[in-house]
CSV table of all heavy atoms in Angstrom, one decimal:
chain,number,residue,atom,x,y,z
A,1,VAL,N,105.1,94.0,117.2
A,1,VAL,CA,103.9,93.1,117.5
A,1,VAL,C,102.9,93.1,116.4
A,1,VAL,O,102.3,92.1,116.0
A,1,VAL,CB,103.3,93.5,118.9
A,1,VAL,CG1,102.1,92.6,119.2
A,1,VAL,CG2,104.4,93.3,120.0
A,2,GLN,N,102.6,94.3,115.9
A,2,GLN,CA,101.7,94.5,114.8
A,2,GLN,C,102.1,93.7,113.5
A,2,GLN,O,101.3,93.0,112.9
A,2,GLN,CB,101.5,95.9,114.4
A,2,GLN,CG,100.9,96.8,115.6
A,2,GLN,CD,101.0,98.3,115.3
A,2,GLN,OE1,101.2,98.7,114.2
A,2,GLN,NE2,100.9,99.0,116.4
A,3,LEU,N,103.4,93.7,113.3
A,3,LEU,CA,104.0,93.0,112.1
A,3,LEU,C,103.8,91.5,112.3
A,3,LEU,O,103.5,90.8,111.4
A,3,LEU,CB,105.5,93.4,112.0
A,3,LEU,CG,106.3,92.6,110.9
A,3,LEU,CD1,105.7,93.0,109.5
A,3,LEU,CD2,107.8,93.0,111.0
A,4,LEU,N,104.1,91.0,113.5
A,4,LEU,CA,104.0,89.6,113.8
A,4,LEU,C,102.5,89.1,113.7
A,4,LEU,O,102.2,88.1,113.2
A,4,LEU,CB,104.6,89.3,115.2
A,4,LEU,CG,106.1,89.5,115.3
A,4,LEU,CD1,106.5,89.3,116.8
A,4,LEU,CD2,106.8,88.5,114.4
A,5,ILE,N,101.6,90.0,114.2
A,5,ILE,CA,100.2,89.6,114.1
A,5,ILE,C,99.7,89.6,112.6
A,5,ILE,O,99.0,88.6,112.2
A,5,ILE,CB,99.3,90.7,114.9
A,5,ILE,CG1,99.5,90.5,116.4
A,5,ILE,CG2,97.8,90.5,114.5
A,5,ILE,CD1,98.9,91.6,117.2
A,6,MET,N,100.2,90.5,111.8
A,6,MET,CA,99.9,90.5,110.4
A,6,MET,C,100.4,89.3,109.7
A,6,MET,O,99.7,88.7,108.9
A,6,MET,CB,100.5,91.8,109.7
A,6,MET,CG,99.7,93.1,110.0
A,6,MET,SD,98.3,93.1,108.9
A,6,MET,CE,97.8,94.8,109.3
A,7,TYR,N,101.6,88.9,110.0
A,7,TYR,CA,102.3,87.8,109.3
A,7,TYR,C,101.8,86.4,109.8
A,7,TYR,O,101.5,85.6,109.0
A,7,TYR,CB,103.8,87.9,109.5
A,7,TYR,CG,104.6,86.9,108.7
A,7,TYR,CD1,104.7,87.0,107.3
A,7,TYR,CD2,105.2,85.8,109.3
A,7,TYR,CE1,105.4,86.1,106.5
A,7,TYR,CE2,105.9,84.9,108.5
A,7,TYR,CZ,106.0,85.0,107.2
A,7,TYR,OH,106.7,84.1,106.4
A,8,TYR,N,101.7,86.3,111.1
A,8,TYR,CA,101.4,84.9,111.6
A,8,TYR,C,100.0,84.7,111.9
A,8,TYR,O,99.6,83.5,112.1
A,8,TYR,CB,102.2,84.7,112.9
A,8,TYR,CG,103.7,84.6,112.7
A,8,TYR,CD1,104.6,85.6,113.1
A,8,TYR,CD2,104.2,83.4,112.1
A,8,TYR,CE1,106.0,85.4,112.9
A,8,TYR,CE2,105.6,83.3,111.8
A,8,TYR,CZ,106.4,84.3,112.3
A,8,TYR,OH,107.8,84.2,112.0
A,9,ILE,N,99.1,85.7,111.9
A,9,ILE,CA,97.7,85.5,112.2
A,9,ILE,C,96.8,86.0,111.1
A,9,ILE,O,96.1,85.1,110.5
A,9,ILE,CB,97.3,86.3,113.5
A,9,ILE,CG1,98.1,85.8,114.7
A,9,ILE,CG2,95.8,86.1,113.8
A,9,ILE,CD1,97.9,86.5,116.0
A,10,ILE,N,96.8,87.2,110.8
A,10,ILE,CA,95.9,87.8,109.8
A,10,ILE,C,96.2,87.2,108.4
A,10,ILE,O,95.3,86.8,107.6
A,10,ILE,CB,95.9,89.3,109.8
A,10,ILE,CG1,95.5,89.8,111.1
A,10,ILE,CG2,95.0,89.9,108.7
A,10,ILE,CD1,95.5,91.3,111.3
A,11,PHE,N,97.5,87.2,108.0
A,11,PHE,CA,97.9,86.8,106.7
A,11,PHE,C,98.7,85.5,106.8
A,11,PHE,O,99.7,85.3,106.1
A,11,PHE,CB,98.6,87.8,105.9
A,11,PHE,CG,97.8,89.0,105.5
A,11,PHE,CD1,97.9,90.2,106.3
A,11,PHE,CD2,97.0,89.0,104.4
A,11,PHE,CE1,97.1,91.3,106.0
A,11,PHE,CE2,96.2,90.1,104.1
A,11,PHE,CZ,96.2,91.2,104.9
A,12,ALA,N,98.3,84.6,107.7
A,12,ALA,CA,99.1,83.4,107.9
A,12,ALA,C,99.2,82.5,106.7
A,12,ALA,O,100.1,81.7,106.5
A,12,ALA,CB,98.5,82.6,109.1
A,13,ALA,N,98.2,82.6,105.8
A,13,ALA,CA,98.1,81.7,104.6
A,13,ALA,C,98.9,82.3,103.4
A,13,ALA,O,99.0,81.7,102.4
A,13,ALA,CB,96.7,81.5,104.2
A,14,SER,N,99.4,83.6,103.6
A,14,SER,CA,100.1,84.3,102.5
A,14,SER,C,101.6,84.1,102.6
A,14,SER,O,102.1,84.1,103.7
A,14,SER,CB,99.7,85.7,102.5
A,14,SER,OG,100.5,86.4,101.6
A,15,ASN,N,102.2,83.9,101.5
A,15,ASN,CA,103.7,83.8,101.5
A,15,ASN,C,104.3,85.1,101.0
A,15,ASN,O,105.6,85.2,100.8
A,15,ASN,CB,104.1,82.7,100.5
A,15,ASN,CG,103.8,81.3,101.1
A,15,ASN,OD1,103.9,81.1,102.3
A,15,ASN,ND2,103.3,80.4,100.2
A,16,ASN,N,103.5,86.2,100.8
A,16,ASN,CA,104.0,87.4,100.3
A,16,ASN,C,104.5,88.3,101.5
A,16,ASN,O,103.7,89.1,102.0
A,16,ASN,CB,102.9,88.2,99.5
A,16,ASN,CG,103.5,89.3,98.7
A,16,ASN,OD1,104.5,89.9,99.0
A,16,ASN,ND2,102.8,89.7,97.6
A,17,LYS,N,105.7,88.1,101.9
A,17,LYS,CA,106.2,88.8,103.1
A,17,LYS,C,106.3,90.3,102.8
A,17,LYS,O,106.1,91.1,103.7
A,17,LYS,CB,107.6,88.3,103.4
A,17,LYS,CG,107.7,86.8,103.8
A,17,LYS,CD,109.1,86.3,104.0
A,17,LYS,CE,109.1,84.8,104.3
A,17,LYS,NZ,110.5,84.3,104.4
A,18,LEU,N,106.7,90.7,101.6
A,18,LEU,CA,106.8,92.1,101.2
A,18,LEU,C,105.5,92.8,101.4
A,18,LEU,O,105.4,93.9,102.0
A,18,LEU,CB,107.3,92.3,99.8
A,18,LEU,CG,107.5,93.7,99.3
A,18,LEU,CD1,108.6,94.4,100.2
A,18,LEU,CD2,107.9,93.7,97.9
A,19,PHE,N,104.4,92.2,100.9
A,19,PHE,CA,103.1,92.8,101.0
A,19,PHE,C,102.7,93.0,102.5
A,19,PHE,O,102.2,94.0,102.9
A,19,PHE,CB,102.0,92.0,100.3
A,19,PHE,CG,100.6,92.4,100.6
A,19,PHE,CD1,100.0,93.5,100.0
A,19,PHE,CD2,99.8,91.6,101.5
A,19,PHE,CE1,98.7,93.8,100.2
A,19,PHE,CE2,98.5,92.0,101.7
A,19,PHE,CZ,98.0,93.1,101.1
A,20,VAL,N,102.9,91.9,103.3
A,20,VAL,CA,102.5,92.0,104.7
A,20,VAL,C,103.3,93.1,105.4
A,20,VAL,O,102.8,93.8,106.2
A,20,VAL,CB,102.8,90.6,105.3
A,20,VAL,CG1,102.6,90.7,106.9
A,20,VAL,CG2,101.9,89.6,104.7
A,21,ALA,N,104.6,93.2,105.1
A,21,ALA,CA,105.5,94.2,105.7
A,21,ALA,C,105.0,95.6,105.4
A,21,ALA,O,104.9,96.5,106.2
A,21,ALA,CB,106.9,94.0,105.4
A,22,ILE,N,104.7,95.8,104.1
A,22,ILE,CA,104.2,97.1,103.6
A,22,ILE,C,102.9,97.5,104.3
A,22,ILE,O,102.7,98.6,104.8
A,22,ILE,CB,104.1,97.2,102.1
A,22,ILE,CG1,105.4,97.1,101.4
A,22,ILE,CG2,103.3,98.4,101.7
A,22,ILE,CD1,105.4,96.9,99.9
A,23,LEU,N,102.0,96.5,104.4
A,23,LEU,CA,100.7,96.8,105.0
A,23,LEU,C,100.9,97.1,106.5
A,23,LEU,O,100.3,98.0,107.0
A,23,LEU,CB,99.8,95.6,104.8
A,23,LEU,CG,98.3,95.7,105.2
A,23,LEU,CD1,97.7,96.8,104.4
A,23,LEU,CD2,97.6,94.4,105.0
A,24,ALA,N,101.7,96.3,107.2
A,24,ALA,CA,101.9,96.5,108.6
A,24,ALA,C,102.5,97.9,108.9
A,24,ALA,O,102.0,98.6,109.8
A,24,ALA,CB,102.8,95.4,109.2
A,25,PHE,N,103.6,98.2,108.2
A,25,PHE,CA,104.3,99.5,108.5
A,25,PHE,C,103.4,100.7,108.0
A,25,PHE,O,103.4,101.7,108.6
A,25,PHE,CB,105.6,99.5,107.8
A,25,PHE,CG,106.6,98.6,108.5
A,25,PHE,CD1,107.1,97.5,107.8
A,25,PHE,CD2,107.1,98.8,109.8
A,25,PHE,CE1,108.1,96.7,108.4
A,25,PHE,CE2,108.0,98.0,110.4
A,25,PHE,CZ,108.5,96.9,109.7
A,26,GLY,N,102.7,100.5,106.9
A,26,GLY,CA,101.8,101.5,106.4
A,26,GLY,C,100.7,101.8,107.3
A,26,GLY,O,100.4,103.0,107.6
A,27,LEU,N,100.1,100.8,107.9
A,27,LEU,CA,99.0,101.0,108.8
A,27,LEU,C,99.5,101.6,110.1
A,27,LEU,O,98.8,102.5,110.7
A,27,LEU,CB,98.3,99.7,109.1
A,27,LEU,CG,97.5,99.1,108.0
A,27,LEU,CD1,96.9,97.7,108.4
A,27,LEU,CD2,96.3,100.0,107.6
A,28,ASN,N,100.7,101.2,110.5
A,28,ASN,CA,101.3,101.9,111.7
A,28,ASN,C,101.6,103.3,111.5
A,28,ASN,O,101.2,104.2,112.3
A,28,ASN,CB,102.5,101.1,112.1
A,28,ASN,CG,103.2,101.7,113.3
A,28,ASN,OD1,104.1,102.6,113.2
A,28,ASN,ND2,102.8,101.3,114.5
A,29,SER,N,102.2,103.6,110.4
A,29,SER,CA,102.5,105.0,110.1
A,29,SER,C,101.3,105.9,109.9
A,29,SER,O,101.3,107.1,110.3
A,29,SER,CB,103.3,105.1,108.8
A,29,SER,OG,103.7,106.4,108.5
A,30,ALA,N,100.2,105.3,109.3
A,30,ALA,CA,99.0,106.1,109.1
A,30,ALA,C,98.4,106.7,110.4
A,30,ALA,O,97.9,107.8,110.4
A,30,ALA,CB,97.9,105.2,108.5
A,31,ALA,N,98.5,105.9,111.5
A,31,ALA,CA,98.0,106.4,112.8
A,31,ALA,C,98.7,107.7,113.2
A,31,ALA,O,98.1,108.7,113.7
A,31,ALA,CB,98.2,105.4,113.9
A,32,TYR,N,100.0,107.8,113.0
A,32,TYR,CA,100.8,109.0,113.4
A,32,TYR,C,100.6,110.1,112.4
A,32,TYR,O,100.5,111.3,112.8
A,32,TYR,CB,102.3,108.6,113.5
A,32,TYR,CG,102.5,107.6,114.7
A,32,TYR,CD1,102.5,106.2,114.4
A,32,TYR,CD2,102.7,108.0,116.0
A,32,TYR,CE1,102.7,105.3,115.4
A,32,TYR,CE2,102.8,107.1,117.0
A,32,TYR,CZ,102.9,105.8,116.7
A,32,TYR,OH,103.0,104.8,117.7
A,33,VAL,N,100.6,109.7,111.1
A,33,VAL,CA,100.3,110.7,110.0
A,33,VAL,C,99.0,111.4,110.2
A,33,VAL,O,98.8,112.6,110.1
A,33,VAL,CB,100.4,110.1,108.6
A,33,VAL,CG1,100.0,111.1,107.6
A,33,VAL,CG2,101.9,109.7,108.4
A,34,ALA,N,98.0,110.6,110.6
A,34,ALA,CA,96.6,111.1,110.9
A,34,ALA,C,96.6,112.2,111.9
A,34,ALA,O,96.0,113.3,111.7
A,34,ALA,CB,95.7,110.0,111.3
A,35,GLU,N,97.3,112.0,113.0
A,35,GLU,CA,97.4,113.0,114.1
A,35,GLU,C,98.2,114.2,113.7
A,35,GLU,O,97.9,115.3,114.0
A,35,GLU,CB,97.9,112.4,115.4
A,35,GLU,CG,97.0,111.4,116.0
A,35,GLU,CD,95.7,112.1,116.4
A,35,GLU,OE1,95.6,112.7,117.5
A,35,GLU,OE2,94.7,111.9,115.7
A,36,ILE,N,99.2,114.0,112.9
A,36,ILE,CA,100.0,115.1,112.3
A,36,ILE,C,99.1,116.0,111.5
A,36,ILE,O,99.1,117.2,111.6
A,36,ILE,CB,101.2,114.6,111.6
A,36,ILE,CG1,102.2,114.0,112.5
A,36,ILE,CG2,101.9,115.7,110.8
A,36,ILE,CD1,103.4,113.2,111.8
A,37,PHE,N,98.4,115.4,110.5
A,37,PHE,CA,97.6,116.1,109.6
A,37,PHE,C,96.4,116.8,110.3
A,37,PHE,O,96.0,117.9,110.0
A,37,PHE,CB,97.1,115.2,108.5
A,37,PHE,CG,97.9,115.2,107.2
A,37,PHE,CD1,98.7,114.1,106.9
A,37,PHE,CD2,98.1,116.4,106.5
A,37,PHE,CE1,99.5,114.1,105.8
A,37,PHE,CE2,98.9,116.4,105.3
A,37,PHE,CZ,99.6,115.3,105.0
A,38,ARG,N,95.9,116.0,111.3
A,38,ARG,CA,94.7,116.6,112.0
A,38,ARG,C,95.1,117.9,112.8
A,38,ARG,O,94.4,118.9,112.8
A,38,ARG,CB,94.2,115.6,113.0
A,38,ARG,CG,92.9,116.0,113.7
A,38,ARG,CD,92.3,114.9,114.6
A,38,ARG,NE,93.1,114.9,115.9
A,38,ARG,CZ,92.8,115.6,117.0
A,38,ARG,NH1,91.7,116.4,116.9
A,38,ARG,NH2,93.5,115.5,118.1
A,39,SER,N,96.3,117.9,113.4
A,39,SER,CA,96.8,119.1,114.1
A,39,SER,C,97.0,120.2,113.1
A,39,SER,O,96.7,121.4,113.4
A,39,SER,CB,98.0,118.8,114.8
A,39,SER,OG,99.1,118.4,113.9
A,40,GLY,N,97.4,119.9,111.9
A,40,GLY,CA,97.6,120.9,110.9
A,40,GLY,C,96.3,121.5,110.4
A,40,GLY,O,96.2,122.7,110.2
A,41,ILE,N,95.3,120.6,110.2
A,41,ILE,CA,94.0,121.1,109.7
A,41,ILE,C,93.3,121.9,110.8
A,41,ILE,O,92.8,123.0,110.5
A,41,ILE,CB,93.1,119.9,109.4
A,41,ILE,CG1,93.7,119.2,108.1
A,41,ILE,CG2,91.7,120.3,109.1
A,41,ILE,CD1,92.9,117.9,107.8
A,42,MET,N,93.4,121.5,112.1
A,42,MET,CA,92.8,122.2,113.1
A,42,MET,C,93.5,123.6,113.4
A,42,MET,O,92.9,124.5,114.0
A,42,MET,CB,92.8,121.4,114.4
A,42,MET,CG,92.0,120.1,114.4
A,42,MET,SD,90.3,120.3,114.1
A,42,MET,CE,89.8,121.0,115.7
A,43,SER,N,94.7,123.7,112.9
A,43,SER,CA,95.4,125.0,113.1
A,43,SER,C,95.0,126.0,112.1
A,43,SER,O,95.4,127.2,112.3
A,43,SER,CB,97.0,124.8,113.1
A,43,SER,OG,97.4,124.4,111.7
A,44,ILE,N,94.4,125.6,111.0
A,44,ILE,CA,93.9,126.6,110.0
A,44,ILE,C,92.8,127.4,110.5
A,44,ILE,O,91.8,126.9,111.1
A,44,ILE,CB,93.5,125.8,108.7
A,44,ILE,CG1,94.7,125.0,108.2
A,44,ILE,CG2,93.1,126.8,107.6
A,44,ILE,CD1,95.9,125.8,107.9
A,45,ASP,N,92.8,128.7,110.3
A,45,ASP,CA,91.8,129.6,110.8
A,45,ASP,C,90.4,129.2,110.2
A,45,ASP,O,90.3,128.9,109.0
A,45,ASP,CB,92.2,131.0,110.5
A,45,ASP,CG,91.2,132.0,111.1
A,45,ASP,OD1,91.4,132.4,112.3
A,45,ASP,OD2,90.2,132.4,110.4
A,46,ALA,N,89.4,129.3,111.0
A,46,ALA,CA,88.0,129.0,110.6
A,46,ALA,C,87.6,129.9,109.4
A,46,ALA,O,86.8,129.5,108.6
A,46,ALA,CB,87.1,129.1,111.7
C-alpha cells in the first residue's frame, strides 16, 4: 500500500519507477531498523 501511494499519489508525476521503489522500501525498512537500533542502544549500560 505504501508503494502504491508513493507511485500513484505522492510521485504521480514521476516516471522514475526505480527511485519510487527504493524510496518506498527504504522508508518502510527504516521504521523497523529504527526499533532494532533503539533496542540495541537502550541495552547499553548507562
Side-chain angles (χ1 to χ4, degrees):
V1 175
Q2 297 166 19
L3 176 64
L4 293 174
I5 290 173
M6 281 284 187
Y7 185 73
Y8 290 110
I9 300 177
I10 299 177
F11 292 100
S14 174
N15 293 320
N16 194 335
K17 299 175 184 177
L18 181 63
F19 169 77
V20 174
I22 290 172
L23 190 60
F25 290 114
L27 291 176
N28 178 269
S29 180
Y32 296 93
V33 170
E35 288 301 280
I36 291 171
F37 268 112
R38 187 177 78 89
S39 65
I41 293 172
M42 296 299 288
S43 69
I44 303 299
D45 188 84

